[in-house]
C-alpha cells in the first residue's frame, strides 16, 4: 500500500463489506447455466455512460483521495461517464445485478457463478480486450469465471487468506492450519476466524490434507457427509474462538491488544499490523489456503456494452491495474502493472508473479449442487446449505 493511512481507509471501507456473504443461496441451488446471448464481435463507439457496481476501492475518481483517480482518465479517453455504486457483500452485489440496472460488476468467486446461473451476466469475447493476453494465465479459464468453455469477464486482483500469529505468544511458529483447528485449545479465547459461510472451505482444505478418507478433492464441492465433517470441525473450533472478524482493520487491532493471537487474515492486514509495530508473522500454511480472484463482468441487460468492454480492457491495463492493486491491497492481474506501482516491492509482497504460490490457493467459488470436482454420482451441497450450516456453527 502507498501508506498505512490509505490502507486503513480503503480496507476499512472494503472490510465493512468484508468480502462477506450473508444468507443468499444459489439460484435454485443448481449449477451455472451459460447465457444463450451471442458474444459481441466488435467494440463500437462508447455510448457516453457506464454504470459500475463494485467493491469499495475499485472505482476511485479522486473523491476519497485527490491523489487516487483512475476513473477520470478513463472518462477522458473513452467519453464514457462513470456512475458508481459500491456494495457491501457478494450477496448484495448479486441482488443489485439482478435488477438489470448496472452495466458492469466486480464479482468475487463467491458471487460469479450465481450471476452466471441467473443469466445476469453474459459471456465476454476476450479477443476484443487487448490487455487480456497479458493477464496471468493462472487466472484464466477458471471455474469462477468460465462455464462450458465460455469466458465471463476480465480477471482483476487476487490474494490468499493467510494464517497470522503473534510471534511473542504462539510458539513454536506454526506451519499448518492445525494452529486454528486441532491445536486451537492452546490459545483458547484468542483464536479468530473469518466471519462468512465461505469459511467452511477453509475447514475443508484442512480436512483434505488430514482426513483423506473423506475424499474431498475440492473444498467448494462438498457432499452432505463432507459438509458434515467440516461443520463438526468448525463447531470444535467455535469453542476457542474469541471473535469472528469481518473488518480486517478491527482484526489487526485485536492482534495489537493481545485479545487475538492467531487466525486467518489478508496480506493487507499483515501490512497494517507491521506498520503499527505489532509483532506478527503470516504464512501460507502447508495445506494451502483459500483466497479470492475477482472478475469484471458485463450485465446481460446492459445498454452500454461498448463502454462496458472499454472498462474491462482499461481496468486491466498496466497503469490502472497497478493503481487499483496498490490502493486496495492485492496482487494485480496484469504482471506489467508491477513496474508501475509506487511501492516497488508491492508485487513481491503479494507474490504476484509466483505461479507456484498461486496454485496453492483454492480461490473462492460458489458452492453449487453440481459437484465442481466432476463427480456425478452424488449431489453436492449448495451455498444456501452452507449458509444454514454457518448459522448452526456460530450458534
Amino acid at each position: 500500500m502507498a501508506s498505512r493511512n490509505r490502507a486503513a481507509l480503503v480496507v476499512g471501507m472494503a472490510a465493512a463489506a468484508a468480502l462477506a456473504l450473508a444468507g443468499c443461496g444459489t439460484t435454485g441451488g443448481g449449477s451455472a447455466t451459460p447465457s444463450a446471448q451471442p458474444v459481441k464481435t466488435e467494440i463500437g463507439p462508447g455510448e457516453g455512460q457506464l454504470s459500475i457496481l463494485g467493491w469499495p476501492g475499485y472505482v476511485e475518481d479522486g473523491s476519497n483521495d485527490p491523489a487516487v483517480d483512475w476513473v477520470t482518465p478513463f472518462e477522458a479517453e473513452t467519453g464514457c461517464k462513470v456512475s458508481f455504486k459500491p456494495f457491501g457483500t457478494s450477496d448484495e452485489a448479486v441482488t443489485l445485478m439482478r435488477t438489470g440496472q448496472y452495466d458492469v460488476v466486480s464479482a468475487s468467486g463467491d458471487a460469479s457463478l450465481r450471476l452466471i446461473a441467473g443469466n445476469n451476466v453474459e459471456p465476454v469475447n476476450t479477443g476484443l480486450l487487448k490487455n487480456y493476453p497479458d493477464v496471468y494465465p493462472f487466472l484464466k479459464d477458471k471455474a469462477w469465471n468460465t462455464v462450458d468453455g465460455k469466458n465471463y469477464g476480465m480477471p482483476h486482483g487476487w490474494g490468499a487468506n493467510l494464517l497470522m500469529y503473534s510471534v511473542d505468544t504462539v510458539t513454536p511458529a506454526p506451519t499448518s492450519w492445525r494452529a486454528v483447528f486441532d491445536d486451537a485449545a492452546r490459545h483458547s479465547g484468542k483464536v479468530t476466524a473469518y466471519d462468512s459461510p465461505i469459511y467452511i472451505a477453509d475447514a475443508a482444505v484442512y480436512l483434505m490434507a488430514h482426513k483423506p478418507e473423506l475424499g474431498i478433492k475440492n473444498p467448494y464441492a462438498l457432499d452432505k457427509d463432507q459438509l458434515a465433517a467440516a461443520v463438526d470441525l468448525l463447531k470444535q473450533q467455535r469453542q476457542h474462538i474469541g471473535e469472528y472478524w469481518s473488518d480486517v482493520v478491527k482484526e489487526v487491532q485485536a492482534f495489537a491488544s493481545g485479545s487475538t493471537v492467531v487466525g486467518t487474515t489478508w496480506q493487507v492486514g499483515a501490512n497494517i499490523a507491521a506498520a503499527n509495530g505489532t509483532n506478527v508473522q503470516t504464512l501460507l500454511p502447508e495445506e494451502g489456503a483459500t483466497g479470492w480472484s475477482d472478475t469484471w463482468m458485463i450485465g446481460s441487460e446492459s445498454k452500454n456494452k461498448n463502454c462496458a468492454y472499454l472498462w474491462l480492457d482499461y481496468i486491466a491495463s498496466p497503469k490502472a491495474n497497478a493503481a487499483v492493486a496498490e490502493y486496495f491491497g492485492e496482487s494485480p492481474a496484469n504482471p506489467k502493472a508491477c513496474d508501475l506501482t509506487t511501492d516497488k516491492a508491492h508485487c513481491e509482497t503479494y507474490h504476484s508473479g509466483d505461479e507456484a504460490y498461486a496454485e496453492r490457493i483454492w480461490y473462492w467459488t460458489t458452492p453449487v449442487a453440481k459437484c465442481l470436482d466432476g463427480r456425478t454420482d452424488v449431489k453436492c451441497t449448495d451455498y444456501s446449505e452452507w449458509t444454514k450450516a454457518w448459522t448452526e456453527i456460530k450458534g
Side-chain angles (χ1 to χ4, degrees), residues 76 104 130 176 179 213 239 273 287 289 293 308 320 371 380 394:
V104 297
K130 65 179 182 295
S176 162
E213 64 271 19
Q239 302 171 45
E287 299 91 352
S293 175
C371 294
C380 278
K394 291 184 66 178

Side-chain angles (χ1 to χ4, degrees), residues 102-127:
Y102 302 94
D103 299 309
V104 297
V105 59
S106 64
S108 294
D110 48 17
S112 54
L113 289 186
R114 284 185 277 170
L115 293 171
I116 294 171
N119 288 325
N120 307 119
V121 293
E122 65 179 43
V124 168
N125 183 352
T126 58

Side-chain angles (χ1 to χ4, degrees), residues 252-290:
V252 169
Q253 292 170 348
F255 270 92
S257 71
S259 61
T260 292
V261 299
V262 65
T264 185
T265 195
W266 300 324
Q267 180 61 52
V268 69
N271 293 353
I272 298 170
N276 287 336
T278 305
N279 193 13
V280 296
Q281 290 289 335
T282 58
L283 70 148
L284 184 66
E286 59 193 26
E287 299 91 352
T290 61

Side-chain angles (χ1 to χ4, degrees), residues 183-222:
D183 291 346
R186 295 183 181 179
H187 303 287
S188 189
K190 295 188 175 183
V191 178
T192 192
Y194 186 51
D195 190 2
S196 166
I198 208 68
Y199 184 67
I200 291 171
D202 290 55
V205 168
Y206 184 72
L207 292 172
M208 285 172 66
H210 297 279
K211 289 195 174 181
E213 64 271 19
L214 290 170
I216 299 173
K217 303 300 182 185
N218 181 319
Y220 305 103
L222 305 181

Side-chain angles (χ1 to χ4, degrees), residues 21-355:
L21 306 168
C24 209
T26 55
T27 304
S31 59
T33 302
S35 169
Q37 293 185 332
V39 177
K40 197 172 178 65
T41 58
E42 62 178 357
I43 303 176
E47 297 87 354
Q49 59 186 357
L50 183 69
S51 178
I52 301 179
L53 187 65
W55 290 112
Y58 270 10
V59 185
E60 292 295 314
D61 63 0
S63 299
N64 291 316
D65 183 340
V68 180
D69 181 2
W70 52 85
V71 170
T72 300
F74 168 77
E75 292 176 328
E77 178 183 320
T78 65
C80 302
K81 179 68 175 177
V82 169
S83 61
F84 171 55
K85 180 176 179 61
F87 55 78
T89 67
S90 287
D91 289 332
E92 184 183 353
V94 171
T95 299
L96 289 169
M97 279 303 291
R98 285 175 177 166
T99 68
Q101 298 177 20
Y102 302 94
D103 299 309
V104 297
V105 59
S106 64
S108 294
D110 48 17
S112 54
L113 289 186
R114 284 185 277 170
L115 293 171
I116 294 171
N119 288 325
N120 307 119
V121 293
E122 65 179 43
V124 168
N125 183 352
T126 58
L128 300 179
L129 306 173
K130 65 179 182 295
N131 288 296
Y132 187 80
D134 293 331
V135 169
Y136 287 117
F138 53 80
L139 300 178
K140 299 177 181 178
D141 305 316
K142 299 302 181 181
W144 61 87
N145 60 28
T146 304
V147 174
D148 291 344
K150 295 182 179 180
N151 297 114
Y152 278 81
M154 174 68 87
H156 186 69
W158 63 278
N161 297 315
L162 302 170
L163 177 62
M164 186 159 71
Y165 64 96
S166 171
V167 173
D168 299 328
T169 306
V170 181
T171 57
T175 60
S176 162
W177 288 112
R178 180 181 295 275
V180 297
F181 290 121
D182 290 335
D183 291 346
R186 295 183 181 179
H187 303 287
S188 189
K190 295 188 175 183
V191 178
T192 192
Y194 186 51
D195 190 2
S196 166
I198 208 68
Y199 184 67
I200 291 171
D202 290 55
V205 168
Y206 184 72
L207 292 172
M208 285 172 66
H210 297 279
K211 289 195 174 181
E213 64 271 19
L214 290 170
I216 299 173
K217 303 300 182 185
N218 181 319
Y220 305 103
L222 305 181
D223 61 34
K224 289 189 180 298
D225 291 340
Q226 293 166 340
L227 177 64
V231 169
D232 286 345
L233 180 62
L234 290 166
K235 284 182 176 179
Q236 294 171 34
Q237 182 197 57
R238 178 69 181 94
Q239 302 171 45
H240 308 294
I241 294 287
E243 61 180 337
Y244 291 97
W245 68 272
S246 59
D247 184 330
V248 73
V249 175
K250 291 182 179 178
E251 184 214 18
V252 169
Q253 292 170 348
F255 270 92
S257 71
S259 61
T260 292
V261 299
V262 65
T264 185
T265 195
W266 300 324
Q267 180 61 52
V268 69
N271 293 353
I272 298 170
N276 287 336
T278 305
N279 193 13
V280 296
Q281 290 289 335
T282 58
L283 70 148
L284 184 66
E286 59 193 26
E287 299 91 352
T290 61
W292 77 92
S293 175
D294 293 341
T295 303
W296 282 103
M297 310 180 91
I298 298 177
S300 55
E301 296 183 46
S302 169
K303 302 296 190 296
N304 303 301
K305 291 181 180 176
N306 291 328
C307 281
Y309 265 80
L310 291 170
W311 174 263
L312 262 63
D313 201 30
Y314 172 81
I315 205 64
S317 64
K319 187 174 182 180
N321 206 220
V324 180
E326 193 165 19
Y327 186 69
F328 187 81
E330 61 188 358
S331 170
N334 187 339
K336 291 182 178 179
C338 293
D339 292 331
L340 301 177
T341 55
T342 302
D343 175 6
K344 297 308 177 186
H346 179 86
C347 284
E348 180 180 357
T349 298
Y350 287 86
H351 301 272
S352 299
D354 190 342
E355 186 169 354

